[in-house]
Amino acid sequence: MNSLKRDFPILQNREIVYLDSGATTQKPKQVIKKIEEFYEKNNANPHRGAYTLSMEATEVYENARKRIAQFINAKSDEEIIFTKNATEALNLIAYSYGMENLKVDDEIVISIMEHHSNLVPWQKVSKVTGSKLNYMYSNQDFEISDEEIENKITDQTKIVAITHVSNVLGTINPIEKMIKQAHKKGAIVIVDASQSIPHMKIDVQDLDADFLIFSGHKMLAPLGIGVLYGKHELLNQMSPFLMGGDMIEYVYEQNTTFAPLPNKFEAGTQNVEGVIGLAAAIDYIEEIGYSKIQEIEKQVISYAREELEKLEFLKLYLTPNEMNHSGVISFNIKEVHPHDVASILDSQGVCVRSRKSLCTTFDAIFGD
Ligand SMILES: Cc1ncc(COP(=O)(O)O)c(C=O)c1O
């Protein structure tokens, strides 16, 4: 594990224990180097110029798209749309699919453990279209039961938007079951893989996910790059989200026809260095291999669970079943403000996320 640590320059430059990868990961030198290389050798605006350098930049950019399609086993690289982050990808689906396909009394189902980026856009869609926003609640083991899935995903459901791994609890949700139930009822499913893709292999065809989104920066890639995967037939029928350069086919004074996929959804100059960095991060992850990553994580998480459980003053929010739990460990120390806990840990060089119990998940479970 120490040899992997040496790949991260920031961990050589700072005396820290970085435990906030759920917020954003540090970047290995292999990713940083690829970005430097792009600026030193290939930089130009892709899809813009007919000169060699611009065509090379286009090739680098489009090869990265192919790499990402292959990584999640998309049928075609046209199903991969680059966005700014997971939040923008979810908003794109909410506006371009949700607003156009939902009507009064249709239902959107999300879970109570969603990140706000997979909650607030659906509130907006529900208000504008007159559809209902329903929640799948977690039980006291911080899991969503089969019964809850069957009760909430019904004939009225048109969209299910679900996080694969909760950023608050680390719970791994049974998305396979949810997708099966949703498809049985004729609904489409959006999987938020932001917290799962750094830790486990994702195969969109195997899952039969209709849409799947994630942010690069949580999986060793640069900040400011996100991915939206969508089934070709769904993306094809959707209207563009943002309008501008490079997403058009012909522009007339009063009307415009749009470019085919994926350009239809990529208006304006893109974050090319982010895309290249993401492809490099994927190379890095695959070189280590998910089985090795999981082996290391299992050791670290089991050790942390075991040691933290010994501390009586600490309340842990963990699913009892280790198989349903990824790398996030949430805890609270009664009577001590979380920011104080984080500040004390910071004084020892330990970086953790702190929050004053505001998230919807805890409010719903504990009535806090
Ligand atoms: C599960 C989940 N979804 C979505 C997001 C939003 O990601 P971003 O801020 O990169 O858009 C996060 C960020 O923490 C997350 O944990």
Side-chain angles (χ1 to χ4, degrees):
M1 202 187 334
N2 275 335
S3 64
L4 287 181
K5 199 172 164 183
R6 280 199 288 275
D7 288 340
F8 293 78
I10 199 167
L11 301 179
Q12 315 307 313
N13 296 330
R14 306 288 301 251
E15 281 283 308
I16 53 169
V17 176
Y18 187 75
L19 300 182
D20 201 18
S21 296
T24 198
T25 53
Q26 299 301 344
K27 320 303 173 197
K29 58 179 186 245
Q30 290 83 342
V31 168
I32 299 168
K33 210 168 124 231
K34 279 281 178 199
I35 296 166
E36 249 177 48
E37 228 174 79
F38 171 71
Y39 283 118
E40 286 172 3
K41 294 187 187 156
N42 307 109
N43 179 47
N45 207 333
H47 299 150
R48 300 300 199 278
Y51 54 92
T52 309
L53 192 62
S54 173
M55 288 190 292
E56 271 175 31
T58 305
E59 199 182 329
V60 174
Y61 182 69
E62 292 303 331
N63 281 345
R65 191 192 308 275
K66 287 193 181 78
R67 181 76 182 93
I68 290 146
Q70 178 208 22
F71 178 59
I72 60 169
N73 195 28
K75 262 192 202 150
S76 137
D77 48 325
E78 291 178 0
E79 296 178 316
I80 304 297
I81 313 293
F82 293 121
T83 61
K84 189 167 68 177
N85 47 36
T87 304
E88 189 181 82
L90 289 163
N91 273 274
L92 190 161
I93 304 167
Y95 277 83
S96 292
Y97 185 89
M99 291 290 191
E100 293 191 2
N101 287 285
L102 291 193
K103 51 186 192 320
V104 177
D105 293 337
D106 283 343
E107 294 183 3
I108 306 162
V109 174
I110 64 174
S111 85
I112 199 65
M113 55 178 92
E114 296 312 312
H115 187 275
H116 292 157
S117 59
N118 197 27
L119 189 165
V120 185
W122 300 115
Q123 288 179 339
K124 173 84 180 177
V125 171
S126 143
K127 286 200 172 88
V128 172
T129 61
S131 54
K132 289 198 190 90
L133 179 58
N134 289 341
Y135 288 82
M136 289 185 281
Y137 291 98
S138 116
N139 57 24
Q140 293 291 321
D141 286 343
F142 310 109
E143 290 170 1
I144 297 171
S145 68
D146 292 357
E147 204 186 0
E148 184 68 0
I149 295 170
E150 278 162 28
N151 286 341
K152 294 294 167 64
I153 303 176
T154 67
D155 292 333
Q156 275 66 52
T157 310
K158 295 292 175 280
I159 294 179
V160 177
I162 179 77
T163 190
H164 191 184
V165 168
S166 163
N167 62 304
V168 183
L169 298 162
T171 303
I172 304 172
N173 281 318
I175 55 166
E176 295 84 357
K177 278 185 199 155
M178 292 172 183
I179 291 171
K180 277 211 176 83
Q181 172 73 2
H183 287 170
K184 202 165 89 184
K185 299 291 178 187
I188 61 114
V189 181
I190 301 147
V191 176
D192 177 355
S194 304
Q195 296 290 348
S196 58
I197 205 160
H199 307 282
M200 56 193 82
K201 179 77 193 151
I202 300 280
D203 181 325
V204 286
Q205 290 191 65
D206 226 33
L207 277 175
D208 202 15
D210 299 288
F211 295 99
L212 183 134
I213 63 92
F214 56 92
S215 268
H217 70 94
K218 294 181 194 289
M219 54 176 295
L220 313 176
L223 296 157
I225 182 70
V227 171
L228 159 62
Y229 157 82
K231 284 183 180 164
H232 202 279
E233 62 271 23
L234 290 173
L235 290 173
N236 233 355
Q237 78 181 40
M238 285 156 56
S239 307
F241 176 48
L242 300 172
M243 315 287 156
D246 212 38
M247 49 76 72
I248 49 91
E249 185 185 37
Y250 297 109
V251 179
Y252 308 96
E253 277 196 23
Q254 301 299 329
N255 282 306
T256 294
T257 57
F258 302 115
L261 293 173
N263 302 51
K264 179 170 94 170
F265 289 107
E266 292 181 3
T269 297
Q270 297 297 298
N271 178 0
V272 184
E273 65 169 83
V275 168
I276 287 160
L278 177 57
I282 289 171
D283 287 344
Y284 183 81
I285 288 172
E286 288 200 333
E287 198 165 308
I288 299 167
Y290 276 110
S291 57
K292 185 74 190 165
I293 291 172
Q294 281 165 6
E295 187 191 313
I296 296 168
E297 281 180 359
K298 195 169 182 312
Q299 276 172 23
V300 175
I301 297 162
S302 297
Y303 175 74
R305 284 178 73 120
E306 205 180 302
E307 290 302 309
L308 291 170
E309 269 161 11
K310 290 180 191 162
L311 306 176
E312 279 168 14
F313 57 88
L314 199 134
K315 169 121 184 71
L316 280 169
Y317 305 96
L318 291 173
T319 88
N321 183 351
E322 281 195 40
M323 295 300 290
N324 294 345
H325 178 233
S326 185
V328 177
I329 297 187
S330 281
F331 66 89
N332 188 30
I333 299 176
K334 270 195 205 116
E335 317 283 326
V336 186
H337 196 290
H339 292 349
D340 291 338
V341 177
S343 290
I344 292 163
L345 287 169
D346 182 48
S347 71
Q348 305 295 308
V350 180
C351 311
V352 296
R353 178 74 181 266
S354 58
R355 247 202 234 197
K356 195 180 155 288
S357 179
L358 282 177
C359 69
T360 338
T361 318
F362 288 121
D363 290 353
I365 299 172
F366 303 110
D368 193 353

